């Protein structure tokens, strides 16, 4: 939130000019941070509202002055957010106080840009606040009692200057002076276990890399995993194990859509971070977004839209020649809905799209194969929303009977595992199979990919680069950048405020990453890849 405050401000109020106003703001902020205000909670909220009108314009005017260092302004903004969090009695009051501060910050910036105040005054006002927070009271300030003017009893005990106290350490669950614990629920057994293993591998590589550099504010990042076998019936217990027993701070890299349908409500009920899940389903992409759910990757709707556009516009297929092979659950539903939406966006009728189903955690594709054979109209392309073993089995049973068939898979399939399964059958089964990706080609030389490969080789020698582990690595690095910006006094609300103000983060992917209060998906980029005769993925343009 604070970054947005610095960037998006504007309105019509004059900055507080008198030295008395500066002393009052300094004394109020310092006293509240020191915990010395003795009014009741409701009174404190009123004090903070008054304080916002004094400190907000100073933050705004200082942020509009290029010669005033950004970290100085951000420090004051962070302190005020701390005051708001500690004063507000509920989330609605916290949001109300934050919006009020934003308005006053906007007023302060406008005062500078409109010439109603100057940067010399802004510098003096900011310095006064800094001195107050450092425990150095400006010369001859009024007493805090005179500033707040509460009840006579309160006024009699109010200090004349803020009492300096050390900054508190974080009291958030899963956070100690030396460690931050994150949880991950995924399949570490069963037919899709490679997806869980690879996702964890990528996150661990990113965590190990930052830990070797000293961690985040001296804290080591630790990932604790739990196995749900890609079965929603096991997900709740896995989440409870990590949250209650392991006391994790938040969740990162959970795998799957049907399992997310259980995990996301669990995290939301506890107001716990749910970050970078390995799924593109819309249940993690509500409008407006759920406050505690953040996605790195593009959605399945975006992946399937890209491939439908490719098939119709570039490969010149007729809509009726496209079918969907999908897992019979919410994952398959999400992919199918994406295809239908893409049809509608192109002005096409989506009512007659052929859907071929199979059951989760099986390779029983016979019904889908027989249904495809029974079609009178020739199907020339199949958009697949499946796991790697089921996808490979479907290709194996249809490749010879439908020569020239175009097979396309969404990224969740597990690209490396799919290629390996198909190459065991023979190169002709693998060659030409399309997989849309949400990360760049692992065979490329982008900065992000080279950094990932170096980390993988260092911490997990012998492991081959993989699209799933690369996604885990990238998602973890987005989170790490936010953790660094949050600072030592880590808590969930502050971290989310920082995430929501992430703009144009450049990790070397070739596409900047951005979050916002109305946007909790960092990337919308889709890369096209296809397997060659040697079982390697080659990039190609989808547009």
């Amino acid at each position: 939130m604070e970054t947005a405050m610095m960037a998006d401000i504007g309105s019509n109020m004059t900055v507080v000019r008198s030295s008395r106003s500066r002393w009052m703001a300094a004394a109020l902020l310092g006293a509240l941070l020191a915990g010395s205000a003795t009014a009741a909670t409701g009174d404190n909220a009123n004090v903070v509202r008054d304080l916002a009108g004094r400190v907000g314009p100073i933050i705004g005017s200082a942020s509009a002055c290029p010669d005033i260092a950004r970290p100085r302004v951000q420090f004051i903004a962070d302190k005020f957010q701390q005051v708001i969090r500690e004063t507000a009695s509920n989330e609605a009051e916290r949001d109300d106080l934050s919006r009020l501060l934003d308005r006053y910050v906007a007023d302060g910036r406008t005062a500078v840009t409109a010439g109603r105040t100057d940067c010399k005054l802004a510098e003096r006002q900011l310095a006064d606040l800094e001195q107050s927070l450092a425990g150095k009271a400006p010369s001859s300030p009024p007493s805090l009692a005179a500033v707040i003017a509460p009840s006579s009893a309160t006024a009699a005990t109010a200090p004349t200057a803020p009492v300096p106290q050390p900054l508190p350490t974080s009291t958030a669950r899963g956070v100690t002076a030396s460690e931050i614990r994150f949880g991950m629920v995924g399949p570490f057994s069963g037919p899709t276990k490679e997806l869980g293993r690879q996702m964890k591998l990528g996150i661990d590589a990113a965590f190990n890399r930052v830990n070797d550099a000293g961690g985040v504010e001296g804290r080591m990042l630790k990932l604790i995993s739990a196995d749900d076998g890609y079965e929603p019936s096991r997900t709740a217990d896995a989440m409870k194990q990590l949250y209650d027993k392991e006391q994790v701070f938040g969740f990162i890299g959970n795998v799957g859509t049907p399992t997310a349908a259980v995990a996301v409500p669990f995290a939301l009920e506890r107001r716990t971070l749910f970050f970078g899940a390995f799924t593109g389903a819309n249940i993690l992409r509500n409008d407006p977004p759920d406050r505690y759910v953040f996605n790195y990757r593009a959605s399945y709707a975006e992946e399937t839209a890209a491939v439908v556009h490719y098939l119709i516009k570039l490969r010149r297929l007729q809509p009726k020649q496209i079918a969907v092979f999908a897992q019979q659950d919410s994952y398959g539903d999400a992919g199918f809905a994406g295809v239908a939406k893409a049809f509608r966006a192109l002005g096409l009728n989506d009512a007659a799209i052929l859907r071929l189903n199979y059951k989760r955690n099986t390779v029983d594709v016979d019904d889908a194969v027989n249904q495809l054979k029974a079609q009178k109209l020739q199907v020339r392309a199949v958009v697949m929303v499946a796991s790697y073993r089921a996808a490979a089995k479907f290709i194996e049973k249809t490749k010879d009977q439908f020569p020239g068939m175009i097979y396309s898979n969404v990224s969740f399939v597990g690209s490396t595992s799919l290629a390996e399964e198909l190459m065991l059958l023979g190169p002709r089964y693998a060659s030409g199979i399309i997989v849309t990706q949400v990360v760049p080609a692992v065979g490329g030389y982008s900065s992000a990919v080279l950094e990932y490969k170096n980390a993988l080789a260092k911490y997990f020698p012998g492991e081959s680069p993989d699209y799933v582990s690369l996604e885990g690595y990238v998602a973890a690095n987005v989170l790490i950048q936010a953790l660094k910006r949050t600072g030592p006094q880590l808590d969930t609300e502050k971290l989310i405020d920082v995430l929501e103000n992430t703009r144009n983060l450049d990790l070397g992917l070739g596409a900047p990453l951005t979050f916002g209060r109305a946007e909790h998906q960092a990337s919308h980029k889709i890369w096209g890849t296809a397997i060659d005769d040697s079982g390697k993925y080659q990039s190609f343009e989808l547009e």
Side-chain angles (χ1 to χ4, degrees):
M1 181 188 114
E2 293 91 337
T3 305
M5 267 191 322
M6 306 307 156
D8 302 324
I9 33 196
S11 188
N12 300 310
M13 177 182 174
T14 302
V15 163
V16 178
R17 295 178 180 275
S18 70
S19 60
R20 177 178 173 82
S21 293
R22 298 201 302 275
W23 304 151
M24 288 194 298
L28 273 165
L29 183 58
L32 283 172
L33 281 170
S36 59
T38 56
T41 300
D43 293 332
N44 276 349
N46 290 329
V47 171
V48 172
R49 290 187 178 92
D50 180 70
L51 183 56
R54 303 175 189 278
V55 175
I58 298 174
I59 295 173
S61 60
S63 71
C65 297
D67 291 335
I68 297 179
R70 297 299 91 185
R72 294 177 60 198
V73 184
Q74 189 67 50
F75 177 79
I76 301 298
D78 289 346
K79 292 303 177 189
F80 204 101
Q81 286 301 319
Q82 178 187 335
V83 168
I84 289 175
R85 284 192 297 274
E86 293 178 356
T87 301
S89 59
N90 54 57
E91 184 176 358
E93 188 173 69
R94 181 181 63 80
D95 290 343
D96 177 64
L97 292 173
S98 294
R99 285 192 294 270
L100 180 65
L101 176 64
D102 284 349
R103 289 197 293 271
Y104 283 120
V105 170
D107 294 339
R109 188 174 183 90
T110 300
V112 172
T113 57
R116 295 196 299 272
T117 191
D118 58 50
C119 289
K120 289 183 179 179
L121 177 61
E123 166 65 37
R124 290 198 301 272
Q125 292 173 328
L126 187 66
D128 291 342
L129 285 176
E130 289 171 330
Q131 288 179 2
S132 176
L133 291 174
K136 300 175 182 177
S139 59
S140 303
S143 70
L144 185 61
V147 175
I148 303 179
S151 67
S152 58
T154 302
T157 59
T160 58
V163 179
Q165 291 187 359
L167 294 177
T169 57
S170 174
T171 58
R173 69 160 42 238
V175 181
T176 69
S178 60
E179 183 180 76
I180 308 173
R181 293 190 298 277
F182 287 93
M184 172 190 173
V185 175
F188 297 98
S189 62
T192 57
K193 64 182 179 182
E194 189 63 12
L195 299 181
R197 191 184 78 85
Q198 288 290 343
M199 193 68 179
K200 184 177 186 298
L201 201 68
I203 297 170
D204 277 333
F207 280 11
N208 289 346
R209 183 171 179 270
V210 74
N211 288 344
D212 271 3
V216 177
E217 299 289 345
R219 297 182 176 114
M220 301 297 106
L221 305 185
K222 182 178 181 181
L223 181 65
I224 306 169
S225 61
D227 179 22
D228 68 1
Y230 195 41
E231 285 294 348
S233 60
R234 296 172 57 187
T235 302
D237 287 342
M239 292 288 286
K240 288 176 183 176
Q241 174 191 334
L242 294 175
Y243 186 82
D244 294 332
K245 181 180 177 182
E246 301 294 346
Q247 292 282 302
V248 297
F249 171 76
F251 295 90
I252 178 173
N254 277 33
V255 175
T257 300
T259 49
V262 177
V264 169
F266 181 97
L268 290 176
E269 287 169 7
R270 291 157 181 81
R271 300 191 178 189
T272 299
L273 179 69
F274 193 85
F275 189 89
F278 185 46
T279 172
N282 284 338
I283 61 172
L284 287 85
R285 292 164 173 80
N286 287 330
D287 184 15
D290 295 321
R291 175 166 172 80
Y292 302 94
V293 178
F294 287 81
N295 303 286
Y296 153 70
R297 55 150 47 228
S299 68
Y300 293 145
E302 289 169 313
E303 287 192 67
T304 51
V307 79
V308 167
H309 184 275
Y310 167 77
L311 293 171
I312 292 176
K313 297 297 184 181
L314 273 68
R315 300 297 291 266
R316 302 297 181 184
L317 269 61
Q318 297 298 313
K320 61 186 178 182
Q321 296 175 316
I322 300 173
V324 178
F325 173 66
Q327 193 163 282
Q328 198 169 7
D329 63 7
S330 53
Y331 165 47
D333 294 345
F336 183 81
V339 173
K341 184 176 180 180
F343 270 52
R344 295 193 299 271
L346 292 170
L348 303 171
N349 181 11
D350 65 337
I353 301 174
L354 174 64
R355 175 169 175 169
L356 313 168
N357 290 321
Y358 79 98
K359 291 183 179 180
R360 180 181 62 249
N361 276 341
T362 75
V363 292
D364 183 6
V365 301
D366 288 346
D367 287 348
V369 172
N370 292 333
Q371 191 179 355
L372 179 62
K373 291 178 181 178
Q375 296 304 303
K376 295 181 180 179
L377 296 174
Q378 182 185 17
V379 174
R380 294 183 55 198
V382 179
V383 179
M384 308 177 77
V385 190
S387 57
Y388 56 91
R389 286 183 176 172
K393 181 62 68 174
F394 182 82
I395 293 169
E396 177 188 4
K397 292 196 170 189
T398 56
K399 183 82 170 177
D400 291 337
Q401 297 184 48
F402 297 90
M405 179 75 81
I406 302 169
Y407 299 93
S408 173
N409 299 264
V410 295
S411 56
F412 184 86
V413 72
S415 303
T416 302
S417 299
L418 175 64
E420 290 172 351
E421 292 273 341
L422 293 172
M423 288 300 288
L424 289 174
L425 299 172
R428 68 188 185 89
Y429 288 95
S431 182
I433 303 300
I434 295 169
V435 179
T436 51
Q437 309 289 359
V438 297
V439 289
V442 296
Y445 293 88
S446 66
S447 296
V449 170
L450 291 176
E451 179 189 292
Y452 152 76
K453 287 180 178 177
N454 289 337
L456 195 67
K458 180 177 181 179
Y459 301 112
F460 301 100
E463 289 286 351
S464 299
D466 177 271
Y467 283 93
V468 178
S469 64
L470 175 55
E471 180 176 337
Y473 183 84
V474 171
N477 273 296
V478 177
L479 178 59
I480 287 167
Q481 292 300 315
L483 288 168
K484 288 179 176 179
R485 290 172 53 211
T486 302
Q489 298 172 34
L490 175 64
D491 65 53
T492 299
E493 300 304 328
K494 186 174 182 181
L495 175 60
I496 287 174
D497 286 343
V498 169
L499 282 167
E500 288 191 330
N501 284 284
T502 298
R503 303 286 188 273
N504 297 317
L505 176 63
D506 185 1
L507 295 182
L509 296 167
L513 306 177
T514 293
F515 287 124
R517 296 193 73 174
E519 173 60 279
H520 279 204
Q521 178 180 302
S523 173
H524 297 269
K525 175 73 174 176
I526 308 294
W527 287 266
T529 63
I531 307 175
D532 63 18
D533 291 339
S534 65
K536 304 296 183 182
Y537 282 91
Q538 303 298 327
S539 299
F540 74 95
E541 292 294 331
L542 287 166
E543 297 179 331

